[in-house]
Amino acid sequence: MKDFMGRWLAGVALAMMATLAQADAPLTDERLDKLLGAMDELQPVMEQVGQRLATLPPEEQPPRLDPRAEDFDPEAMAEGMAEALEEVNAYADVNRVAENNGFDDVEELLEVQARVMMGFMAATQEAMMNNPNVPEQARQKMNQQFGNIAEKVSENDREVLKRNQQKIMEFMQAQQQRQAPGTN
């Protein structure tokens, strides 16, 4: 699980480096299904991208958006990441994955990934904040890390993610099992 979550979060981090071109394309069940279908192919590519990005000097690193920032928005993530992909000669690789899985382009794939990740983080934060068994110190730490991210997730995105929660959990469990030591 730790390895899978690390890879999933690496994808989140990469998706959070940019600004978007597809601002009026809402999250849908179909777009979510495309993302889940693309993840097996996307994860190894994004791991390579992460390694390539890490080799860039600090002044050439793509900006990282802070979920606490007022302008943190899934619609503000994909374009800058696409530029970062071009910077490390990985745009074509990610574009191939995007097109193989029914996305129009890299930006659409990254925008959907960002929406799902933000929704996932917001749901996690809300569950933690509403759980009386979570210590106050953990709640404070969550607020420091994610601010008011829940307010930045659209009602539409929340509905799509809630409707597909079982599918997402099954996907994550399947990924976890594939990543478990001794299994391939």
Side-chain angles (χ1 to χ4, degrees):
M1 167 132 177
K2 183 178 177 185
D3 188 42
F4 168 72
M5 288 304 293
R7 290 177 188 197
W8 185 263
L9 291 173
V12 172
L14 290 170
M16 290 181 182
M17 296 180 185
T19 45
L20 173 73
Q22 307 223 350
D24 56 350
L27 186 62
T28 63
D29 295 333
E30 179 185 8
R31 292 175 91 201
L32 176 63
D33 288 344
K34 288 180 189 180
L35 177 66
L36 295 177
M39 289 306 293
D40 284 339
E41 191 178 356
L42 184 62
Q43 284 179 332
V45 172
M46 293 306 260
E47 285 177 24
Q48 292 175 359
V49 168
Q51 292 169 358
R52 292 179 196 172
L53 287 172
T55 66
L56 293 175
E59 64 275 4
E60 293 179 27
Q61 292 281 330
R64 294 183 183 265
L65 297 179
D66 183 346
R68 296 166 294 176
E70 194 64 35
D71 60 352
F72 186 76
D73 183 339
E75 296 175 356
M77 294 180 187
E79 187 177 290
M81 184 57 203
E83 290 172 12
L85 291 173
E86 288 177 8
E87 182 75 26
V88 295
N89 298 318
Y91 187 94
D93 295 334
V94 179
N95 196 55
R96 176 185 42 78
V97 173
E99 290 177 352
N100 285 350
N101 290 280
F103 290 101
D104 291 338
D105 52 31
V106 168
E107 289 82 359
E108 181 185 9
L109 180 142
L110 293 172
E111 182 253 339
V112 170
Q113 184 181 32
R115 286 176 177 275
V116 171
M117 296 306 151
M118 279 188 66
F120 185 77
M121 289 188 298
T124 300
Q125 180 186 32
E126 287 175 330
M128 191 173 182
M129 296 306 205
N130 294 327
N131 183 340
N133 297 319
V134 173
E136 185 59 31
Q137 186 177 19
R139 291 173 201 241
Q140 289 173 0
K141 185 173 182 178
M142 178 66 80
N143 268 339
Q144 286 177 321
Q145 289 180 318
F146 298 114
N148 63 346
I149 194 169
E151 295 174 10
K152 298 170 187 170
V153 177
S154 74
E155 194 59 40
N156 175 77
D157 290 1
R158 288 173 185 274
E159 290 172 13
V160 171
L161 293 169
K162 185 175 183 178
R163 200 169 42 242
N164 290 282
Q165 182 177 5
Q166 184 64 36
K167 184 187 310 180
I168 294 167
M169 296 308 294
E170 288 171 3
F171 168 81
M172 291 177 73
Q173 289 172 347
Q175 288 294 312
Q176 213 173 22
Q177 290 174 350
R178 286 187 206 140
Q179 302 299 325
T183 62
N184 287 345

